[in-house]
């Protein structure tokens, strides 16, 4: 079967922009605190949802390995941008992950509708 390359599961917004800005993490203080105190769960869920890691566990554990953590965060950010057709570049992703990793993770959670506590309650 030939694919059109369009993934209908990920609705696009005009302009290809994030739902909130990088420092919009404080707009939803609840999510901000959850990602700050449970980063492994948030990043694990993002890694699994974007296809960067095969499981939430692998994605979460990657945060404990120096340099691998930055690489995984960078790959997740690029995957979210690709899935949601958001403008950006790998260099910009790298700088945002390096300088504002948790704010970037909150932004990605908002984009992908990820809530770490929801995941914990289902387990």
């Amino acid at each position: 079967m030939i694919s059109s390359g369009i993934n209908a599961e990920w609705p696009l917004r005009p302009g290809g922009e994030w739902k909130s800005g990088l420092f919009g993490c404080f707009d939803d203080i609840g999510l901000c605190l959850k990602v700050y105190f449970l980063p492994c769960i948030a990043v694990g869920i993002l890694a699994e949802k974007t296809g960067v890691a095969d499981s939430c566990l692998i994605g979460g554990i990657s945060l404990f390995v120096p340099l691998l953590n930055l690489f995984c965060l960078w790959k997740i950010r690029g995957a979210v941008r690709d899935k949601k057709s958001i403008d950006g570049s790998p260099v910009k992703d790298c700088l945002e992950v390096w300088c504002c990793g948790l704010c970037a993770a909150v932004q990605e959670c908002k984009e992908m509708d990820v809530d770490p506590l929801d995941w914990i309650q289902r387990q």
Side-chain angles (χ1 to χ4, degrees):
M1 184 163 108
I2 298 175
S3 172
S4 66
I6 297 173
N7 189 346
E9 182 180 340
W10 305 101
L12 305 178
R13 283 182 307 286
E17 296 192 10
W18 295 92
K19 288 180 181 176
S20 66
L22 184 62
F23 298 110
C25 54
F26 301 112
D27 294 343
D28 183 350
I29 196 68
L31 181 61
C32 184
L33 291 172
K34 292 172 195 175
V35 172
Y36 182 79
F37 287 108
L38 304 168
C40 295
I41 294 172
V43 170
I45 295 168
L46 286 168
E48 185 176 35
K49 273 188 131 179
T50 58
V52 170
D54 292 335
S55 72
C56 180
L57 181 64
I58 304 251
I61 289 174
S62 73
L63 283 184
F64 292 105
V65 181
L67 298 180
L68 177 61
N69 55 3
L70 293 174
F71 178 75
C72 285
L73 289 170
W74 175 68
K75 292 293 285 180
I76 290 168
R77 189 153 185 87
V80 170
R81 275 192 318 97
D82 288 346
K83 287 189 179 292
K84 298 292 186 156
S85 296
I86 297 171
D87 295 333
S89 71
V91 172
K92 185 178 177 193
D93 292 343
C94 184
L95 290 172
E96 289 169 342
V97 164
W98 181 266
C99 297
C100 311
L102 289 176
C103 288
V106 171
Q107 187 182 40
E108 294 155 15
C109 283
K110 285 181 182 179
E111 200 66 40
M112 299 294 288
D113 298 318
V114 168
D115 186 333
L117 286 185
D118 287 348
W119 182 85
I120 290 172
Q121 292 169 352
R122 285 185 299 210
Q123 299 306 316

